[in-house]
Amino acid sequence: MSETGTCTLHLQAVAFVVLLLRLAPVTQASVQQLPGCPDKCGDINVPYPFGIGARCARDSGFELTCDQSYSSPRLLSRYGQHLVKLSLADGEAIALLNATRQCYNSTEDLVFVDSSTQNYMPLDGSTYRFSAARNRFVALGCPNLGYFVDSTGYYLSGCTSICRPVQSRTASSGGCTGEGCCQIKIPQNMDYYEQHILSFKPGQGDPIFQGDKTYCRYVFLADEKWIETTYRDRPDFNRTDDFTVHVVIDWAIRNVGNCNAAKLNKTADYACRYSHSDCVNSTNGAGYRCNCFDGYKGNPFPRRRMRR
Ligand SMILES: *[C@@H]1O[C@H](CO)[C@@H](O)[C@H](O)[C@H]1NC(C)=O
Ligand SMILES: *[C@@H]1O[C@H](CO)[C@@H](O)[C@H](O)[C@H]1NC(C)=O
Ligand SMILES: *[C@@H]1O[C@H](CO)[C@@H](O)[C@H](O)[C@H]1NC(C)=O
Ligand SMILES: *[C@@H]1O[C@H](CO)[C@@H](O)[C@H](O)[C@H]1NC(C)=O
Ligand SMILES: *[C@@H]1O[C@H](CO)[C@@H](O)[C@H](O)[C@H]1NC(C)=O
């Protein structure tokens, strides 16, 4: 077999075959890339329909570059997102984002902004969306009104993190629930994200917002699981360092609305043509993906038919 687009029976799934497998091991190298195309960038697997370079990707939306100029090579999307994981089975990718940090002195004058940190992430709308199911927007430190905007610069959403005065502070139950840290869901179908911090000056706004404060305030978008594990037991709202978070991205073939439309639309180059595989609708934005049947493993995306 030298083609992608094959779902083979996953033998371990069938109990009695496991025995046979032990007696006579079968080589099961599953083909994840087109012939002559790299299937890794550093340690990161790059399965088709993704590809390093135009010739190897299904279409330009799935085109990646592997930047070798770093000590460990970086996998980059077309718009420069640093990707650390690609998954066919769940239609997800993980991208890195630096938290935006602003720090203030005792009179609440801005004294530090990390100008090297990019505060926006443009995704390729033809392929990627920010996962509304998996990501949360977070504003950390206080007082902090964190918000994010779309590519036209208009407000999308935000949340407010306030600290109670020291003398009234309750034993923190942990979690990112509004005191020192707030989090909110993001809208579906988002392919652009830009984070901002709005600071409060002493004397501004309602006195309820003038409790305790932290030296630095942050905003970022992150995998809910990362937030949960980081801020559950030992919430550190008063940090001053820079940090990088994992953002979950949903990808799909988006040239048609869903599986039904893809199957009907002969010109749309329907992908899920192989046996033992099925079409699944995108759950975030238009489009679809292919999946192997339960019990089958492999790469369900066949090489795109070349049109002349
Ligand atoms: C805070 O920073 C501002 C602007 O740099 C400065 O004018 C002010 O004196 C500083 N306040 C304190 C207490 O250092
Ligand atoms: C994130 O921070 C790291 C380390 O400071 C830096 O190398 C990288 O370029 C930053 N990335 C972005 C997108 O700002
Ligand atoms: C954050 O730390 C500073 C310095 O240790 C302290 O003065 C301040 O009260 C702390 N803020 C909160 C909200 O804990
Ligand atoms: C069929 O596919 C073409 C090419 O991708 C697209 O322009 C068109 O909108 C699709 N039609 C439907 C009904 O989805
Ligand atoms: C995909 O979505 C369409 C439109 O909502 C629906 O009719 C169809 O049954 C869905 N297909 C699958 C495979 O879930």
Side-chain angles (χ1 to χ4, degrees):
M1 270 179 285
S2 62
E3 265 282 26
T4 59
T6 47
C7 294
T8 51
L9 188 61
H10 182 40
L11 295 176
Q12 281 91 334
V14 187
F16 87 96
V17 188
V18 170
L19 189 63
L20 291 177
L21 192 68
R22 287 216 187 94
L23 297 173
V26 180
T27 48
Q28 246 201 348
S30 99
V31 178
Q32 295 296 339
Q33 262 305 341
L34 306 181
C37 291
D39 64 355
K40 271 180 184 283
C41 174
D43 302 336
I44 304 156
N45 291 320
V46 181
Y48 188 80
F50 294 93
I52 295 168
R55 191 181 65 80
C56 295
R58 184 176 196 274
D59 59 49
S60 59
F62 289 99
E63 198 180 319
L64 306 170
T65 52
C66 185
D67 188 338
Q68 305 276 359
S69 67
Y70 297 92
S71 53
S72 68
R74 286 190 184 178
L75 185 64
L76 302 174
S77 76
R78 224 158 51 114
Y79 287 77
Q81 266 67 56
H82 182 178
L83 303 175
V84 292
K85 193 181 171 200
L86 297 172
S87 161
L88 290 190
D90 51 18
E92 288 179 351
I94 305 285
L96 298 184
L97 172 72
N98 291 344
T100 289
R101 172 163 71 102
Q102 293 189 353
C103 304
Y104 300 81
N105 68 10
S106 59
T107 49
E108 283 293 286
D109 286 290
L110 182 62
V111 290
F112 177 85
V113 185
D114 184 2
S115 53
S116 71
T117 288
Q118 206 178 314
N119 72 335
Y120 62 95
M121 278 179 95
L123 297 183
D124 180 335
S126 74
T127 305
Y128 306 106
R129 297 287 187 280
F130 292 99
S131 170
R134 299 271 316 270
N135 295 309
R136 298 291 179 266
F137 172 78
V138 176
L140 186 68
C142 49
N144 185 0
L145 195 168
Y147 65 97
F148 55 102
V149 301
D150 64 16
S151 60
T152 64
Y154 285 113
Y155 177 89
L156 275 174
S157 193
C159 67
T160 310
S161 162
I162 302 294
C163 293
R164 292 162 64 94
V166 185
Q167 67 275 14
S168 68
R169 198 164 304 159
T170 49
S172 176
S173 55
C176 179
T177 56
E179 191 195 348
C181 177
C182 64
Q183 59 175 317
I184 48 160
K185 291 191 170 191
I186 64 165
Q188 287 274 356
N189 210 11
M190 219 171 82
D191 66 358
Y192 182 92
Y193 167 80
E194 185 178 318
Q195 59 195 12
H196 292 273
I197 294 174
L198 186 73
S199 75
F200 298 82
K201 284 259 195 175
Q204 273 184 339
D206 193 289
I208 198 78
F209 296 141
Q210 308 299 330
D212 202 1
K213 50 197 180 188
T214 56
Y215 177 59
C216 295
R217 290 137 215 190
Y218 301 83
V219 284
F220 54 90
L221 183 70
D223 183 351
E224 180 190 30
K225 282 186 200 142
W226 180 88
I227 301 165
E228 165 71 11
T229 44
T230 312
Y231 288 100
R232 183 182 44 206
D233 301 327
R234 39 181 185 80
D236 179 11
F237 304 143
N238 209 352
R239 63 194 296 175
T240 56
D241 57 332
D242 281 316
F243 59 95
T244 302
V245 290
H246 284 187
V247 176
V248 185
I249 310 277
D250 293 327
W251 58 265
I253 296 171
R254 300 193 190 271
N255 61 348
V256 288
N258 57 46
C259 292
N260 288 1
K263 285 172 193 167
L264 290 174
N265 193 339
K266 299 280 186 284
T267 63
D269 209 2
Y270 178 54
C272 315
R273 302 188 307 264
Y274 276 69
S275 51
H276 311 302
S277 80
D278 222 345
C279 184
V280 286
N281 285 337
S282 160
T283 53
N284 188 7
Y288 67 98
R289 291 182 293 111
C290 310
N291 253 350
C292 288
F293 285 170
D294 277 352
Y296 287 78
K297 275 198 155 182
N299 187 324
F301 290 88
R303 171 179 217 159
R304 191 172 198 179
R305 265 191 289 237
M306 295 298 159
R307 276 176 308 217
R308 288 161 208 277

